Amino acid sequence: MSFDRRTRIEQMRQADRARDRRTRVLVISLSAVVVAGLVTFGAYTLVDKSDASADRKTSDAKNTEQSDAQKKELAGGPIQGEKTWDAKKLTRNHVTEAVSYPMKPPVGGDHSPVWMNCDGEVYEKAIPDENAVHALEHGSVWVTYTDGASAADVDKLADRVGKTPYSLMSPYKDQAGTIMLSAWGKQVTVDSADDRRVAQFFAAYVQGPQTPEPGAACTGGRAAP
């Protein structure tokens, strides 16, 4: 083989090796760019999700604070027209016979050993006083109404009760007011479901300080008659 031919072959091999090196460098560079892009995107996504989660938590916390503040505001002031009975004079014996209560609906006194279920229960028929009073002892608010209440008011009150643990609702034929709210030792007559005193009463007395047995069960008792 002549010298010139060997020289050309060697030059071609060197050119091939140089081309291979350039190709490897290009591939490595492109890979690095892609990886860097993925890392950056991933970091951005994580930060974005973290920020969104933080925003949601902050919003939830603010909503909770506002809700708590509203409850405190509602519960803190006097409720116009509210009647109060001395809790110490409201007996709490369990009895099996009917009880003649001095107020209608009753707000305390001797009562059935079995409470009326009060986990947001809306009863379409009248319920026994003795079972309802036991529910009041557990910290429930009892909403009652006569035939004079409008269908719209009944629906609005039922919606509130249905969303409120430790509350119950039922028709009550012989009460003085068209719509009344009762808790242990507390009672108020309101003009409509939109009356501000409804929200005040719920805020103050659902598991409120008047409750003789706070936290006691509101399920597992007596169901609809």
Side-chain angles (χ1 to χ4, degrees), residues 40-215:
T40 302
F41 177 76
Y44 172 80
T45 302
L46 288 173
V47 170
D48 186 57
K49 288 183 177 179
S50 177
D51 289 344
S53 177
D55 290 342
R56 284 195 298 272
K57 289 180 180 179
T58 300
S59 177
D60 291 343
K62 287 181 179 179
N63 289 338
T64 300
E65 289 175 0
Q66 290 173 353
S67 178
D68 291 343
Q70 289 171 352
K71 288 180 181 179
K72 288 180 181 179
E73 180 184 358
L74 287 169
I79 300 175
Q80 185 179 3
E82 178 185 273
K83 295 181 180 180
T84 300
W85 286 260
D86 187 348
K88 295 180 180 178
K89 295 181 180 180
L90 294 173
T91 55
R92 296 170 52 200
N93 301 307
H94 287 178
V95 296
T96 55
E97 67 272 10
V99 179
S100 178
Y101 294 102
M103 75 294 286
K104 287 185 177 295
V107 298
D110 293 348
H111 50 268
S112 169
V114 182
W115 58 89
M116 205 73 199
N117 286 337
C118 47
D119 190 26
E121 307 292 338
V122 177
Y123 297 101
E124 295 182 359
K125 297 181 179 180
I127 60 177
D129 284 350
E130 294 78 13
N131 300 101
V133 169
H134 197 155
L136 301 186
E137 185 183 41
H138 290 189
S140 293
V141 164
W142 182 18
V143 179
T144 52
Y145 60 96
T146 68
D147 292 341
S150 70
D153 279 338
V154 172
D155 288 344
K156 288 180 181 179
L157 292 167
D159 183 65
R160 178 183 287 273
V161 169
K163 296 176 181 178
T164 308
Y166 287 97
S167 71
L168 66 164
M169 176 176 170
S170 67
Y172 203 100
K173 184 177 180 180
D174 298 327
Q175 65 183 28
T178 301
I179 299 172
M180 299 180 71
L181 285 75
S182 304
W184 187 269
K186 304 287 183 179
Q187 193 170 77
V188 68
T189 299
V190 298
D191 299 323
S192 71
D194 296 323
D195 193 313
R196 186 174 186 272
R197 291 174 294 172
V198 174
Q200 282 185 295
F201 202 89
F202 269 75
Y205 300 126
V206 170
Q207 287 289 285
Q210 85 293 341
T211 305
E213 297 180 6

